[in-house]
Amino acid sequence: MTGKQILTYNNRTMNTLPPEPDVFAAISHPARRQILDLLSDGDAPVKVIAGHFEMSRPAISQHLRILLDAGLVTETRHGRERRYQLLPDRLIPIRDWLSHYEQFWDHHLERLQQHLSQGKKKT
């Protein structure tokens, strides 16, 4: 994440508001999408998640932190072990955004099919 902050000015003082979690930015990296795929099967500790990647455990932890900050996963501590769990409801804005394009492609593919079937009738 970029760490951008929103600033507001009230009574000549500057207040820093926490940044809004950006779900789209969080899923922009392929490793984070793969982590979400892994967690869709159930919660997992960092060690198990890291075993699926050819990168360091600190790098995996950094990706998990971004997913955590975006509200896409939760972290539970069991002693020294940290387990992560997917929060799929936070993906709803992405599903809603993509549904517009799904309708777009359905419409255009239907028109293409109609056009192709009309071409067959003429021959």
Side-chain angles (χ1 to χ4, degrees):
M1 293 191 75
T2 61
K4 294 179 184 176
Q5 294 184 343
I6 300 168
L7 301 177
T8 59
Y9 296 91
N10 294 333
N11 299 331
R12 294 187 170 154
T13 60
M14 185 171 63
N15 297 322
T16 303
L17 299 174
E20 276 291 313
D22 188 351
V23 175
F24 287 90
I27 66 163
S28 66
H29 196 282
R32 292 193 287 269
R33 292 191 302 270
Q34 188 176 351
I35 290 170
L36 293 175
D37 289 343
L38 291 169
L39 294 175
S40 69
D41 292 332
D43 67 334
V46 177
K47 181 179 179 180
V48 170
I49 295 168
H52 292 273
F53 296 91
E54 292 185 17
M55 65 176 78
S56 68
R57 199 177 292 183
I60 293 296
S61 292
Q62 186 177 14
H63 286 299
L64 285 165
R65 172 58 51 196
I66 291 168
L67 293 172
L68 190 64
D69 290 344
L72 290 168
V73 299
T74 60
E75 176 186 77
T76 308
R77 294 182 187 205
H78 298 279
R80 290 178 32 174
E81 181 182 74
R82 294 178 185 197
R83 297 185 70 82
Y84 291 86
Q85 183 177 7
L86 176 66
L87 294 174
D89 287 350
R90 290 286 293 144
L91 294 170
I92 291 172
I94 294 167
R95 183 198 63 198
D96 293 346
W97 181 76
L98 285 173
S99 72
H100 167 74
Y101 293 98
E102 183 178 11
Q103 293 169 8
F104 170 84
W105 283 112
D106 286 348
H107 173 72
H108 282 77
L109 290 173
E110 184 179 307
R111 288 183 60 206
L112 177 61
Q113 185 178 17
Q114 290 172 354
H115 177 72
L116 293 173
S117 66
Q118 288 174 358
K120 287 181 181 178
K121 290 178 184 176
K122 290 180 181 180
T123 58

